[in-house]
């Protein structure tokens, strides 16, 4: 993609806030059709045409990217590059430390995506320690890892350009040598076009704005300092690691040493899905990521940090094994972190009430208990936010088109024209009598119930049948009573004979009532489903289009081999921007926040830095 085109779009977004992308309206009928179609097509064709196989054969080689060494310099002090223009590494100069940034689920509304991009690209960020108030300094990552779902709502060239590439260009279009590097894990939204656009951006080009982009496949391995590795997987659309990918990671494992430690980046937090849905849907217990872990364990290599996006919040689970003397061995503790706060709509945290998840290991008679340590936002705030669905009709004004059409079609075959002086009860009786002799009335009733049954959370069959049918029946009842009210109002309130004008006016009243009442019922259903039963977490929060509560992580490996995770969050995103001072490498926009005043739009540490000490066995 030409830099000139990106610059033109950037100038447009800088000059006109109205040109900046808004949060995706997931309940807009047009968006529902497009997303649904993309999902079906990508799932069908993904079963028979796996791009990863083509990729594996076209780009041979099971090499890793070595960041355990410094970049090579020539006699003049300039960095040496290979034939592709990427830095070469100096085998005689090991790195002692490294900084790495991780962000996932980005490329949605401009304010949320750019808030994260702006602070993520700052050379240094300092924070107050949440527990003792001391100053905590962090540096921009030498490596940036995008953890999945780099763009919303669906992958295509224009969406990537508008929602991902341009905001990050405005934040960091250029850098000085040595340039930072970027790698990306594909998520399900990246797969909606068969991974074509993702590959053009991350595996077929030398640059992503100010970052070098040396990645060649949709999965990768990075060798980091002090015996640490980072593995990025590609689970396509069905939590599946294909055979070629397994062979790749087998080859990488053979190059690891006993005692090495791994950061494993997945597009989905399968430990959460298996815990929530494993008993309801066996597919969540059938992921071969466990097989990948077993390959590493055979080499006495431990996965100690699991990173994933897909759920758009911050949540951390921790397991600390015990030594023979019963003391906790923090050097072998395992962190499982969901950090999908790069810009997409917020996901709830109260949909899961349990304070631990469990992992079964072959060598352990008892399952390992991963304690739930931190949520951002916390469960209480998440529950409060769900009440925003009472304003569903206002937040999703176009969704009412769906219920308006359904209500009109349902009423068309049922309603009767009563005498002008008839009561509302007479209208009800006449309509009920017509239902009994009108087969099409039953057909439309089942269509409406079936439509909302299909919409219902699919993980629990009982919930799907009970809640889905009740939800559909509420819409059927609402359509009936709104239709009868419209007939009564036209024939009695407006004193119109049952003519063409009366029919048109009745239809308009039914459509208007269906638009409003149907949306209200949908909002109430989502509110009760999530706060009452923990269901529809995605739908109940995508309807709210919450762009606040964003996060990313900075990870530091120091000279001793300790790894420190700095989870950085924003309770609110920046909504007002101003032109930044013109510099060659600086951002083009900066936050317009009150100076020397606290703001929830300023970055903060979500919790105290998470430290995994150096390996006690080494």
């Amino acid at each position: 993609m030409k830099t000139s085109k990106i610059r033109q779009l950037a100038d447009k977004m800088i000059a006109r806030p109205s040109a900046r992308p808004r949060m995706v309206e997931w309940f807009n009928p047009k968006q529902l059709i497009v997303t649904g179609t993309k999902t079906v097509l990508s799932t069908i064709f993904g079963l028979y045409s796996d791009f990863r196989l083509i990729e594996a054969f076209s780009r041979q080689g099971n090499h890793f990217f070595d960041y355990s060494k410094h970049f090579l310099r020539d006699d003049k002090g300039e960095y040496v590059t290979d034939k592709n223009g990427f830095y070469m590494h100096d085998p005689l100069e090991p790195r002692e430390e490294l900084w790495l940034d991780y962000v996932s689920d980005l490329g949605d509304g401009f304010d949320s995506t750019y808030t994260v991009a702006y602070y993520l690209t700052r050379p240094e960020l300092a924070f107050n320690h949440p527990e003792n108030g001391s100053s905590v300094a962090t540096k921009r990552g030498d490596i940036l890892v995008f953890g999945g779902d780099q763009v919303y709502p669906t992958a295509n060239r224009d969406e990537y350009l508008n929602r991902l590439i341009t905001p990050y260009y405005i934040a960091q279009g250029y850098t000085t040598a040595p340039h930072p590097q970027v790698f990306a894990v594909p998520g399900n939204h990246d797969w909606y076009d068969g991974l074509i656009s993702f590959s053009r951006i991350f595996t077929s080009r030398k640059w992503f704005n100010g970052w070098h982009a040396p990645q060649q496949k949709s999965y990768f391995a990075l060798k980091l300092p002090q015996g640490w590795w980072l593995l990025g997987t590609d689970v396509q659309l069905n939590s599946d690691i294909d055979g070629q990918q397994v062979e790749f990671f087998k080859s990488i494992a053979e190059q690891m040493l006993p005692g090495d430690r791994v950061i494993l980046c997945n597009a989905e937090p399968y430990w959460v899905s298996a815990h929530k849905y494993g008993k309801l849907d066996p597919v969540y217990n059938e992921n071969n990521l466990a097989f990948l872990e077993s390959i590493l364990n055979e080499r006495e290599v431990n996965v100690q940090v699991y990173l994933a996006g897909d759920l758009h919040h911050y949540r951390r689970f921790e397991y600390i094994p015990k030594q023979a003397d019963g003391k906790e061995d923090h050097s072998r503790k395992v962190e499982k972190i969901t950090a999908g706060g790069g810009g997409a709509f917020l996901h709830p945290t109260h949909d899961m009430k349990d304070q631990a998840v469990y992992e079964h290991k072959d060598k352990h008679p008892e399952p390992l208990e991963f304690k739930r340590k931190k949520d951002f936002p916390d469960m209480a705030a998440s529950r409060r936010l769900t009440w925003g669905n009472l304003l569903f009709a206002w937040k999703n004004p176009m969704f009412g088109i769906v219920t308006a059409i359904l209500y009109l079609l349902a009423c068309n075959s049922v309603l009767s024209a009563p005498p002008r002086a008839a009561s509302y009860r007479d209208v009800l009786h006449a309509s009920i009598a017509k239902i009994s002799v009108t087969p099409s009335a039953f057909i439309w009733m089942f269509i409406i119930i079936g439509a909302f049954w299909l919409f219902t959370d699919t993980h629990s069959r009982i919930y799907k049948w009970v809640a889905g049918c009740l939800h559909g029946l509420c819409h059927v009842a609402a359509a009936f009573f709104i239709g009868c009210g419209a007939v009564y109002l036209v024939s009695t309130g407006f004193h119109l004979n049952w003519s063409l004008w009366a029919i048109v006016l009745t239809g308009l009243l039914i459509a208007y009532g269906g638009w409003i009442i149907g949306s209200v019922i949908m909002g109430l259903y989502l509110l009760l489903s999530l706060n009452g039963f923990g269901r529809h977490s995605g739908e109940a929060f995508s309807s709210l289009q919450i762009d606040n509560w964003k996060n990313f992580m900075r990870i530091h490996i120091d000279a001793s081999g300790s790894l420190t995770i700095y989870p950085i969050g924003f309770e609110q995103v920046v909504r007002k921007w101003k032109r930044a001072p013109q510099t060659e490498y600086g951002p083009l926009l900066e936050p317009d926040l009150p100076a020397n005043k606290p703001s929830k739009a300023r970055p903060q540490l979500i919790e105290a830095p998470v430290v995994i000490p150096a390996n006690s066995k080494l």
Side-chain angles (χ1 to χ4, degrees):
M1 203 166 291
K2 295 182 178 180
T3 303
S4 58
K5 184 176 181 181
I6 299 172
R7 179 68 203 213
Q8 289 175 1
L9 187 55
D11 290 340
K12 184 177 179 181
M13 290 186 184
I14 292 169
R16 292 195 292 122
S18 60
R20 302 168 188 171
R22 299 178 59 184
M23 296 295 288
V24 176
E25 298 180 6
W26 291 100
F27 279 82
N28 186 307
K30 180 181 177 181
Q31 187 58 59
L32 289 172
I33 294 171
V34 171
T35 304
T37 302
K38 289 276 189 179
T39 302
V40 171
L41 290 176
S42 61
T43 301
I44 293 174
F45 290 107
L47 294 174
Y48 302 101
S49 178
D50 193 337
F51 181 80
R52 297 171 300 182
L53 299 178
I54 303 172
E55 180 183 58
F57 288 111
S58 63
R59 298 180 183 180
Q60 297 296 329
N62 291 332
H63 70 281
F64 56 81
F65 298 91
D66 191 356
Y67 293 97
S68 66
K69 306 291 192 300
H70 280 288
F71 297 134
L72 181 65
R73 296 195 188 203
D74 60 19
D75 295 338
K76 297 179 180 179
E78 297 180 356
Y79 291 98
V80 180
T81 59
D82 60 19
K83 63 180 181 179
N84 296 315
F86 299 123
Y87 294 133
M88 299 180 68
H89 294 85
D90 188 344
L92 302 178
E93 190 176 358
R95 285 181 188 251
E96 291 188 347
E97 64 173 353
L98 180 137
W99 285 88
L100 183 147
D101 291 331
Y102 176 91
V103 61
S104 183
D105 297 274
L106 50 157
D108 197 334
F110 180 86
D111 287 338
S112 57
T113 299
Y114 189 68
T115 295
V116 173
Y118 174 81
Y119 286 108
L120 180 144
T121 54
R122 295 313 89 218
E124 294 183 355
L125 288 177
F127 308 96
N128 292 324
H129 195 289
E131 296 177 357
N132 57 35
S134 62
S135 179
V136 177
T138 67
K139 295 182 180 180
R140 185 192 67 190
D142 304 293
I143 301 170
L144 169 61
V145 175
F146 287 137
D149 287 343
Q150 277 65 245
V151 71
Y152 289 87
T154 56
N156 62 57
R157 191 184 188 94
D158 290 338
E159 295 289 13
Y160 272 111
L161 178 61
N162 284 287
R163 297 181 180 273
L164 173 67
I165 297 174
T166 302
Y168 272 76
Y169 174 86
I170 295 173
Q172 183 173 276
Y174 306 95
T175 53
T176 57
H179 305 290
Q181 319 277 290
V182 63
F183 293 85
V185 173
N188 61 304
H189 287 267
D190 299 298
W191 266 99
Y192 282 166
D193 70 341
L195 215 65
I196 301 301
S197 298
F198 175 94
S199 299
R200 286 173 177 167
I201 295 169
F202 294 109
T203 69
S204 302
R205 303 169 65 222
K206 296 181 180 180
W207 292 92
F208 173 83
N209 295 325
W211 290 266
H212 261 164
Q215 184 174 346
Q216 297 180 346
K217 300 179 180 180
S218 57
Y219 45 92
F220 54 88
L222 313 181
K223 185 178 182 181
L224 308 177
Q226 312 301 336
W228 282 95
W229 295 74
L230 186 145
L231 306 181
T233 66
D234 178 6
V235 296
Q236 207 211 32
L237 294 166
N238 296 303
S239 298
D240 171 67
I241 294 181
D242 61 295
Q244 294 293 330
Q245 195 170 169
V246 169
E247 291 301 317
F248 170 80
F249 286 118
K250 275 186 178 181
S251 173
I252 297 300
E254 292 173 356
Q255 301 174 72
M256 297 180 180
L257 299 176
D260 282 356
R261 302 191 280 182
V262 170
I263 303 168
L264 182 58
C265 294
N266 306 310
E268 302 172 4
Y270 66 91
W271 54 91
V272 175
S273 302
H275 179 81
K276 289 177 63 177
Y277 308 126
K279 295 180 180 179
L280 301 172
D281 192 342
V283 74
Y284 287 98
N285 290 325
E286 296 177 357
N287 66 78
N288 57 7
L289 289 176
F291 179 65
L292 174 57
E293 295 173 40
S294 69
I295 294 173
L296 298 172
N297 290 336
E298 289 177 0
R299 300 285 298 177
E300 298 184 26
V301 174
N302 295 319
V303 181
Q304 291 195 242
V305 180
Y306 295 79
L307 300 180
D310 194 56
L311 299 179
H312 310 161
H313 54 231
Y314 175 87
R315 179 187 285 156
R316 180 173 69 89
F317 293 92
E318 181 180 77
Y319 165 71
I320 305 178
K322 294 184 178 180
Q323 300 174 343
D325 58 4
K327 295 182 179 179
E328 293 181 337
D329 187 353
H330 285 260
S331 69
R332 295 193 299 119
K333 70 179 178 179
V334 181
E335 304 290 344
K336 294 190 173 184
I337 302 174
T338 307
F345 69 88
L346 178 68
H347 268 129
T349 57
H350 71 287
D351 60 321
M352 178 180 170
K353 299 179 181 179
D354 300 310
Q355 294 304 303
V357 297
Y358 297 88
E359 180 178 331
H360 295 271
K361 294 285 189 180
D362 294 337
K363 296 181 180 180
H364 296 268
E366 298 294 330
L368 307 184
E369 181 184 31
F370 286 79
K371 295 181 179 179
R372 187 174 181 175
K373 306 298 289 185
K374 185 65 177 181
D375 293 284
F376 181 79
D378 61 32
M379 295 175 67
S382 176
R383 182 175 290 275
R384 287 195 302 271
L385 290 169
T386 311
W387 286 88
N389 276 292
L390 292 177
L391 300 176
F392 181 94
W394 179 72
K395 293 178 178 292
N396 304 275
M398 301 307 293
F399 175 79
I401 295 174
V402 176
T403 50
I405 293 173
L406 286 176
Y407 284 25
L408 270 174
L409 293 173
C411 292
N412 180 59
S413 59
V414 173
L415 300 178
S416 299
R420 181 180 297 176
S423 65
Y424 182 65
R425 179 178 296 181
D426 293 331
V427 176
L428 292 176
H429 288 164
S431 297
I432 292 172
K434 190 170 183 181
I435 289 176
S436 62
V437 296
T438 308
S440 61
F442 290 97
I443 293 175
W444 280 112
M445 180 177 70
F446 284 116
I447 288 175
I448 292 176
I449 294 174
F452 289 100
W453 176 85
L454 289 172
F455 170 78
T456 305
D457 191 312
T458 59
H459 298 106
S460 171
R461 292 184 180 181
I462 295 176
Y463 190 84
K464 187 176 183 69
W465 280 101
V466 175
C469 291
L470 286 176
H471 184 199
L473 283 171
C474 286
H475 285 285
V476 169
F480 177 75
F481 287 111
I482 289 173
C484 291
V487 170
Y488 176 74
L489 185 62
V490 169
S491 61
T492 303
F494 290 97
H495 301 289
L496 293 178
N497 294 322
W498 201 241
S499 60
L500 177 62
W501 288 109
I503 294 173
V504 171
L505 182 57
T506 301
L508 289 174
L509 290 174
I510 293 172
Y512 183 75
W515 191 304
I516 302 301
I517 302 301
S519 297
V520 170
I521 292 174
M522 175 61 80
L524 287 172
Y525 169 75
L526 294 175
L527 171 62
L528 293 173
S529 292
L530 182 53
N531 277 4
F533 303 96
R535 302 290 173 184
H536 283 293
S537 58
E539 294 82 1
F541 265 59
S542 63
S543 66
L544 300 174
Q545 303 169 38
I546 298 173
D547 57 0
N548 293 323
W549 302 95
K550 296 294 161 274
N551 66 76
F552 70 95
M553 289 188 295
R554 282 190 165 171
I555 300 174
H556 182 220
I557 299 172
D558 65 22
S560 71
S562 295
L563 181 144
T564 305
I565 301 171
Y566 300 89
I568 300 167
F570 315 81
E571 287 191 31
Q572 296 178 358
V573 301
V574 179
R575 304 190 189 282
K576 189 176 181 181
W577 303 94
K578 62 182 179 181
R579 289 181 181 269
Q582 188 172 0
T583 60
E584 187 176 2
Y585 300 105
L588 303 179
L589 285 176
E590 63 182 13
D592 189 4
L593 298 175
N596 302 319
K597 290 185 178 180
S599 171
K600 292 183 178 181
R602 299 186 192 278
Q604 60 180 325
L605 286 178
I606 295 173
E607 60 176 331
V610 180
V611 180
I612 301 179
N615 198 328
S616 60
K617 293 184 179 181
L618 299 179

